[in-house]
Amino acid sequence: MKKISFYVCSAALLLAACNNTENTPKETTASDSTTSSTEKKAWIAVDSATEMKAWMDYSTPGSAHAMLAKDDGEWIGQNTMWMSKDAPPATSTSTMTNKMILGGRYQMGTYKGDFMGMPFEGMSIGGYDNHLKKFFSTWFDNMGTGMMKMEGTWDSTTNAITYYGTMVSPSNGMECEMKEIFTFMDANTAKMEMFGPDSKTGEQYKTMEILLTRKNKK
C-alpha cells in the first residue's frame, strides 16, 4: 500500500488526445444546476468527544502513510509514450524526488524531464485519506495552469494501486477520463502505466509507461 505519483508529460499527452476527440460536450440545463445545488444532506449533530476522536483518527498518519514514506528519495524514469493508438513509441528519461511533508501526512514529488524537446517540470502532492480509505494524488506542471486529481485503491493480488481521474481540455471544455496503474515490482523498481482516450475513436489506450529505478538502491 504505497504510491509514487509519476505523471511526467501525461498532462500534455492527454490534452492532445482530448482536444481531438470527436464527441461534443454535454449540455447543462438550468434544472440540472438547480438540482445539484439544492440537494444537500441534513447536518448530523455530534457531541464534542465524538468529534474530537473522529478528527484525531482522521489526522493521524497510519500504515499507508508509513508505506509512502518508504518511497522517499530520488528515482530515475525510463519513459515510453504513444501520441496515438497506432503511433510509434517515443522514449525519454526523467527524474523524480519524493519527500514526506506536514508530519508524514502527505508526500510531495518534484519531477524534471523533457517533452518533445521542451523542458518539463511538475509537482505532485499525494497521500492516503483515512476517512475515504483511498489513495489520492494531485498534479501540477509547467504545461498548464490547472490541476489534475486522481483517487485509487490498493490491490494486494497485483501489488498495485489503480487510480481514476479526469482532466479538462481548455479547447472544448470536455473532461477526459484517465486511468493509472502503478505496480510495485520490488523495493527499488516500479512501473507506472497511464491510459487515456484515442484521438480518433475516444477509446482508452495506453498512452505512457514509465519504468522507475531508485537512484540509491536499498
Side-chain angles (χ1 to χ4, degrees):
M1 294 171 57
K2 54 183 179 175
K3 159 76 172 151
I4 309 171
S5 267
F6 199 99
Y7 296 96
V8 169
C9 307
S10 61
L13 186 62
L14 288 172
L15 180 59
C18 291
N19 288 345
N20 293 314
T21 52
E22 299 175 355
N23 299 325
T24 56
K26 178 182 177 182
E27 295 183 358
T28 302
T29 64
S31 59
D32 291 337
S33 59
T34 302
T35 301
S36 61
S37 62
T38 56
E39 289 181 351
K40 296 181 179 179
K41 294 182 180 179
W43 185 259
I44 300 175
V46 295
D47 58 76
S48 58
T50 300
E51 181 180 21
M52 179 62 71
K53 183 181 185 307
W55 276 104
M56 288 296 293
D57 292 342
Y58 181 58
S59 63
T60 303
S63 59
H65 303 89
M67 295 298 290
L68 283 170
K70 292 181 179 180
D71 295 319
D72 275 6
E74 298 180 59
W75 297 74
I76 305 298
Q78 300 294 329
N79 315 320
T80 304
M81 296 184 293
W82 295 264
M83 294 302 294
S84 65
K85 191 172 183 179
D86 300 321
T91 60
S92 62
T93 60
S94 51
T95 62
M96 172 180 71
T97 303
N98 286 332
K99 180 182 179 181
M100 295 299 289
I101 60 174
L102 300 179
R105 292 172 174 83
Y106 306 94
Q107 187 176 65
M108 180 174 67
T110 53
Y111 311 84
K112 291 186 178 180
D114 66 84
F115 179 74
M116 298 180 68
M118 297 181 293
F120 181 89
E121 292 183 77
M123 181 180 74
S124 69
I125 295 181
Y128 180 81
D129 190 310
N130 287 340
H131 176 68
L132 297 178
K133 308 299 183 187
K134 289 183 178 181
F135 289 91
F136 66 88
S137 179
T138 56
W139 173 255
F140 316 85
D141 61 46
N142 64 340
M143 292 189 174
T145 55
M147 177 186 75
M148 290 196 299
K149 180 179 179 180
M150 303 187 81
E151 293 184 345
T153 54
W154 169 257
D155 185 346
S156 59
T157 61
T158 59
N159 208 37
I161 303 174
T162 300
Y163 287 83
Y164 294 94
T166 60
M167 67 170 289
V168 177
S169 166
S171 64
N172 55 20
M174 293 180 63
E175 280 194 338
C176 300
E177 294 184 355
M178 302 179 299
K179 175 183 176 182
E180 176 192 340
I181 302 175
F182 201 97
T183 305
F184 301 93
M185 303 167 72
D186 56 46
N188 296 304
T189 53
K191 180 174 66 174
M192 188 280 279
E193 299 169 278
M194 182 70 76
F195 300 82
D198 179 74
S199 60
K200 296 179 180 179
T201 65
E203 296 180 359
Q204 293 277 312
Y205 78 105
K206 183 190 288 190
T207 60
M208 183 187 309
E209 178 177 305
I210 301 178
L211 181 63
L212 289 161
T213 304
R214 190 186 295 273
K215 187 175 181 179
N216 299 310
K217 294 184 179 182
K218 293 184 176 181

